[in-house]
Amino acid sequence: GIQVEQSPPDLILQEGANSTLRCNFSDSVNNLQWFHQNPWGQLINLFYIPSGTKQNGRLSATTVATERYSLLYISSSQTTDSGVYFCAVEVTYNFNKFYFGSGTKLNVKP
Amino acid sequence: DAGVIQSPRHEVTEMGQEVTLRCKPISGHDYLFWYRQTMMRGLELLIYFNNNVPIDDSGMPEDRFSAKMPNASFSTLKIQPSEPRDSAVYFCASSPLNEQFFGPGTRLTVL
């Protein structure tokens, strides 16, 4: 099956810093989503981004499907950004079946 | 819309007991997914439905697990009999086509 690798696995930031999280995948995909799992365990949609670039406030994401990676940018990080960030991909040969990466655990310190 | 609703939010049971988890998807979403999250295995897809019909149940761990979707607004995931290794957070998600929206999850502890 498809391999979804996220890096870095852990990240510690000082409040106000910027960061880039990466998601690499080993096969062609139809769709890609980024999620934030907050410290209470809730999975929150950040971006649905099969290709191109999207921005939402301090967060933006870019997916280059032909090169099989996606990037999530967090600017001016805040303590509320802490949690785990997951990317999930839907493969072209298995419609609607999403595979999750193992996540990047982010800790933003005040 | 209230989002995906799951109940109960927490469940503690003893080994051998039957456990039923419930999910109400977002109205109008044709797809419903059940996931399990553990530290060891991360997020795993167990089963998904399209228009109330199970499409792919290859992720269901064994016969002790079963899922139903009797109508467009309700689904259950049942474990019978439960075992300690079933302890995990179980998420339900729904989708209109491509983008998935998750419920708050049910934290299951089997003693």
Side-chain angles (χ1 to χ4, degrees):
Chain A
I2 189 170
Q3 303 298 313
V4 183
E5 297 180 351
Q6 292 187 242
S7 60
D10 294 279
L11 186 58
I12 299 174
L13 296 176
Q14 206 65 38
E15 198 169 26
N18 303 328
S19 64
T20 301
L21 281 57
R22 188 176 181 101
C23 174
N24 291 336
F25 38 95
S26 60
D27 216 329
S28 298
V29 300
N30 287 328
N31 295 301
L32 187 145
Q33 283 189 256
W34 282 98
F35 295 91
H36 174 216
Q37 188 166 37
N38 64 24
W40 296 271
Q42 191 168 5
L43 279 160
I44 300 164
N45 286 37
L46 296 177
F47 294 101
Y48 166 67
I49 184 165
S51 63
T53 298
K54 290 186 177 180
Q55 180 151 10
N56 184 2
R58 296 181 296 104
L59 272 60
S60 64
T62 295
T63 296
V64 184
T66 53
E67 297 187 21
R68 300 183 182 174
Y69 73 89
S70 183
L71 302 174
L72 178 69
Y73 306 94
I74 304 175
S75 64
S76 304
S77 59
Q78 301 176 357
T79 56
T80 52
D81 295 332
S82 296
V84 183
Y85 291 80
F86 291 101
C87 73
V89 301
E90 178 197 25
V91 295
T92 54
Y93 52 82
N94 211 337
F95 181 62
N96 253 313
K97 193 161 186 174
F98 277 76
Y99 295 85
F100 279 76
S102 54
T104 292
K105 186 173 183 180
L106 174 63
N107 185 6
V108 181
K109 295 184 176 296
Chain B
D1 201 315
V4 177
I5 299 172
Q6 291 187 247
S7 65
R9 295 292 307 277
H10 302 272
E11 177 81 28
V12 179
T13 190
E14 293 189 345
M15 182 174 63
Q17 296 298 307
E18 176 181 301
V19 175
T20 300
L21 311 181
R22 297 171 176 81
C23 175
K24 176 179 168 56
I26 294 172
S27 177
H29 284 192
D30 292 334
Y31 294 87
L32 183 139
F33 306 81
W34 282 100
Y35 288 87
R36 179 172 67 176
Q37 186 178 34
T38 61
M39 289 294 292
M40 291 295 293
R41 299 174 67 91
L43 271 156
E44 303 174 279
L45 176 66
L46 300 178
I47 185 172
Y48 81 89
F49 295 83
N50 180 20
N51 291 324
N52 313 338
V53 177
I55 302 300
D56 186 336
D57 65 354
S58 59
M60 295 287 262
E62 48 198 275
D63 292 345
R64 297 184 298 106
F65 286 69
S66 62
K68 294 182 180 180
M69 193 165 185
N71 57 62
S73 59
F74 183 66
S75 177
T76 59
L77 178 68
K78 185 177 292 187
I79 309 172
Q80 181 184 20
S82 58
E83 297 182 3
R85 59 192 168 121
D86 301 331
S87 298
V89 180
Y90 291 81
F91 287 100
C92 176
S94 70
S95 169
L97 180 60
N98 300 119
E99 187 175 4
Q100 297 194 5
F101 297 84
F102 280 75
T106 295
R107 182 174 295 276
L108 173 64
T109 302
V110 183
L111 303 174

Tab-separated table of all heavy atoms in Angstrom, chain B residues 1 4 10 13-14 25 27 29 37 43 49 53 60 69 79 86-87 90 95-96 98 105:
chain	number	residue	atom	x	y	z
B	1	ASP	N	-25.105	23.323	10.831
B	1	ASP	CA	-25.147	21.881	11.134
B	1	ASP	C	-24.297	21.610	12.380
B	1	ASP	O	-23.277	22.246	12.589
B	1	ASP	CB	-24.618	21.102	9.942
B	1	ASP	CG	-25.083	19.646	9.958
B	1	ASP	OD1	-25.014	19.024	11.031
B	1	ASP	OD2	-25.512	19.153	8.914
B	4	VAL	N	-20.552	16.046	12.937
B	4	VAL	CA	-20.709	14.621	13.187
B	4	VAL	C	-20.861	14.414	14.694
B	4	VAL	O	-20.082	14.951	15.484
B	4	VAL	CB	-19.496	13.831	12.658
B	4	VAL	CG1	-19.639	12.354	12.994
B	4	VAL	CG2	-19.340	14.035	11.161
B	10	HIS	N	-17.221	8.618	26.178
B	10	HIS	CA	-16.315	7.740	26.920
B	10	HIS	C	-17.083	6.480	27.278
B	10	HIS	O	-18.265	6.536	27.623
B	10	HIS	CB	-15.811	8.410	28.211
B	10	HIS	CG	-15.093	9.695	27.974
B	10	HIS	ND1	-13.741	9.754	27.725
B	10	HIS	CD2	-15.533	10.980	27.938
B	10	HIS	CE1	-13.384	11.021	27.554
B	10	HIS	NE2	-14.445	11.776	27.671
B	13	THR	N	-15.668	-0.528	30.010
B	13	THR	CA	-16.380	-1.786	30.115
B	13	THR	C	-15.409	-2.889	30.504
B	13	THR	O	-14.189	-2.700	30.504
B	13	THR	CB	-17.068	-2.126	28.779
B	13	THR	OG1	-17.958	-3.238	28.972
B	13	THR	CG2	-16.048	-2.491	27.705
B	14	GLU	N	-15.960	-4.016	30.835
B	14	GLU	CA	-15.123	-5.150	31.208
B	14	GLU	C	-15.013	-6.123	30.041
B	14	GLU	O	-15.930	-6.254	29.223
B	14	GLU	CB	-15.710	-5.845	32.434
B	14	GLU	CG	-15.637	-4.969	33.678
B	14	GLU	CD	-16.024	-5.734	34.938
B	14	GLU	OE1	-16.599	-6.832	34.817
B	14	GLU	OE2	-15.737	-5.222	36.039
B	25	PRO	N	-24.039	11.124	11.115
B	25	PRO	CA	-23.238	11.923	10.181
B	25	PRO	C	-23.863	13.284	9.917
B	25	PRO	O	-25.009	13.541	10.304
B	25	PRO	CB	-23.235	11.066	8.913
B	25	PRO	CG	-24.535	10.326	8.975
B	25	PRO	CD	-24.782	10.061	10.433
B	27	SER	N	-25.826	15.862	7.877
B	27	SER	CA	-26.931	15.688	6.949
B	27	SER	C	-26.484	15.977	5.518
B	27	SER	O	-25.807	16.973	5.253
B	27	SER	CB	-28.069	16.631	7.332
B	27	SER	OG	-29.137	16.545	6.408
B	29	HIS	N	-24.433	14.137	3.750
B	29	HIS	CA	-23.186	13.442	3.410
B	29	HIS	C	-23.501	11.987	3.074
B	29	HIS	O	-24.127	11.275	3.858
B	29	HIS	CB	-22.205	13.506	4.592
B	29	HIS	CG	-21.557	14.839	4.731
B	29	HIS	ND1	-20.467	15.049	5.558
B	29	HIS	CD2	-21.824	16.038	4.151
B	29	HIS	CE1	-20.091	16.311	5.473
B	29	HIS	NE2	-20.904	16.932	4.627
B	37	GLN	N	-8.056	4.867	16.481
B	37	GLN	CA	-6.751	5.492	16.726
B	37	GLN	C	-6.123	4.900	17.970
B	37	GLN	O	-6.718	4.916	19.053
B	37	GLN	CB	-6.869	7.005	16.878
B	37	GLN	CG	-5.523	7.704	16.989
B	37	GLN	CD	-5.640	9.212	17.085
B	37	GLN	OE1	-6.584	9.747	17.665
B	37	GLN	NE2	-4.678	9.929	16.492
B	43	LEU	N	-3.962	6.153	13.108
B	43	LEU	CA	-5.348	6.181	12.635
B	43	LEU	C	-5.536	5.139	11.549
B	43	LEU	O	-4.867	5.167	10.518
B	43	LEU	CB	-5.686	7.558	12.077
B	43	LEU	CG	-6.218	8.571	13.069
B	43	LEU	CD1	-5.966	9.989	12.594
B	43	LEU	CD2	-7.706	8.338	13.307
B	49	PHE	N	-19.046	3.369	4.441
B	49	PHE	CA	-20.341	3.174	3.794
B	49	PHE	C	-20.550	4.268	2.739
B	49	PHE	O	-20.114	5.408	2.925
B	49	PHE	CB	-21.487	3.296	4.814
B	49	PHE	CG	-21.496	2.236	5.872
B	49	PHE	CD1	-20.686	2.354	7.004
B	49	PHE	CD2	-22.331	1.137	5.769
B	49	PHE	CE1	-20.706	1.389	7.991
B	49	PHE	CE2	-22.365	0.165	6.760
B	49	PHE	CZ	-21.546	0.298	7.872
B	53	VAL	N	-24.610	1.660	2.355
B	53	VAL	CA	-24.127	0.335	1.957
B	53	VAL	C	-22.646	0.215	2.313
B	53	VAL	O	-21.860	1.095	1.937
B	53	VAL	CB	-24.319	0.110	0.440
B	53	VAL	CG1	-23.737	-1.232	0.022
B	53	VAL	CG2	-25.794	0.217	0.067
B	60	MET	N	-11.643	-3.952	9.210
B	60	MET	CA	-12.256	-4.493	10.426
B	60	MET	C	-11.353	-5.606	10.954
B	60	MET	O	-11.084	-6.582	10.250
B	60	MET	CB	-13.653	-5.026	10.118
B	60	MET	CG	-14.622	-3.938	9.693
B	60	MET	SD	-15.143	-2.899	11.055
B	60	MET	CE	-16.709	-3.690	11.433
B	69	MET	N	-25.427	0.473	9.101
B	69	MET	CA	-25.943	1.806	8.815
B	69	MET	C	-27.377	1.631	8.327
B	69	MET	O	-27.625	1.538	7.119
B	69	MET	CB	-25.084	2.527	7.781
B	69	MET	CG	-25.405	4.001	7.687
B	69	MET	SD	-24.151	4.925	6.814
B	69	MET	CE	-24.785	6.591	7.041
B	79	ILE	N	-18.785	-4.143	19.104
B	79	ILE	CA	-17.707	-5.077	19.431
B	79	ILE	C	-18.275	-6.094	20.410
B	79	ILE	O	-18.780	-5.725	21.473
B	79	ILE	CB	-16.495	-4.365	20.068
B	79	ILE	CG1	-16.046	-3.175	19.218
B	79	ILE	CG2	-15.338	-5.355	20.237
B	79	ILE	CD1	-14.978	-2.302	19.881
B	86	ASP	N	-8.862	-3.880	22.444
B	86	ASP	CA	-9.766	-3.021	21.679
B	86	ASP	C	-9.779	-1.590	22.224
B	86	ASP	O	-10.394	-0.704	21.624
B	86	ASP	CB	-11.195	-3.572	21.719
B	86	ASP	CG	-11.301	-4.977	21.161
B	86	ASP	OD1	-10.480	-5.329	20.278
B	86	ASP	OD2	-12.177	-5.731	21.623
B	87	SER	N	-9.127	-1.375	23.341
B	87	SER	CA	-9.074	-0.036	23.927
B	87	SER	C	-8.425	0.925	22.946
B	87	SER	O	-7.318	0.676	22.444
B	87	SER	CB	-8.289	-0.046	25.239
B	87	SER	OG	-8.930	-0.871	26.195
B	90	TYR	N	-12.276	5.689	18.986
B	90	TYR	CA	-12.969	5.351	17.746
B	90	TYR	C	-13.613	6.610	17.194
B	90	TYR	O	-14.397	7.269	17.872
B	90	TYR	CB	-14.013	4.268	18.003
B	90	TYR	CG	-13.383	2.937	18.334
B	90	TYR	CD1	-12.931	2.657	19.611
B	90	TYR	CD2	-13.216	1.969	17.346
B	90	TYR	CE1	-12.323	1.449	19.912
B	90	TYR	CE2	-12.610	0.748	17.634
B	90	TYR	CZ	-12.163	0.501	18.918
B	90	TYR	OH	-11.552	-0.703	19.208
B	95	SER	N	-18.568	12.398	4.784
B	95	SER	CA	-18.036	13.134	3.646
B	95	SER	C	-19.117	13.269	2.581
B	95	SER	O	-19.845	12.315	2.309
B	95	SER	CB	-16.830	12.387	3.072
B	95	SER	OG	-16.442	12.925	1.829
B	96	PRO	N	-19.200	14.457	1.949
B	96	PRO	CA	-20.131	14.594	0.826
B	96	PRO	C	-19.613	13.914	-0.438
B	96	PRO	O	-20.388	13.465	-1.262
B	96	PRO	CB	-20.223	16.111	0.630
B	96	PRO	CG	-18.930	16.636	1.166
B	96	PRO	CD	-18.508	15.721	2.271
B	98	ASN	N	-15.412	14.017	-1.170
B	98	ASN	CA	-13.971	13.885	-1.018
B	98	ASN	C	-13.463	14.294	0.358
B	98	ASN	O	-12.633	13.630	0.931
B	98	ASN	CB	-13.253	14.734	-2.065
B	98	ASN	CG	-13.609	14.322	-3.476
B	98	ASN	OD1	-14.153	15.108	-4.231
B	98	ASN	ND2	-13.333	13.088	-3.816
B	105	GLY	N	-15.126	11.604	18.560
B	105	GLY	CA	-14.548	10.335	18.973
B	105	GLY	C	-15.179	9.762	20.227
B	105	GLY	O	-15.798	10.474	21.028
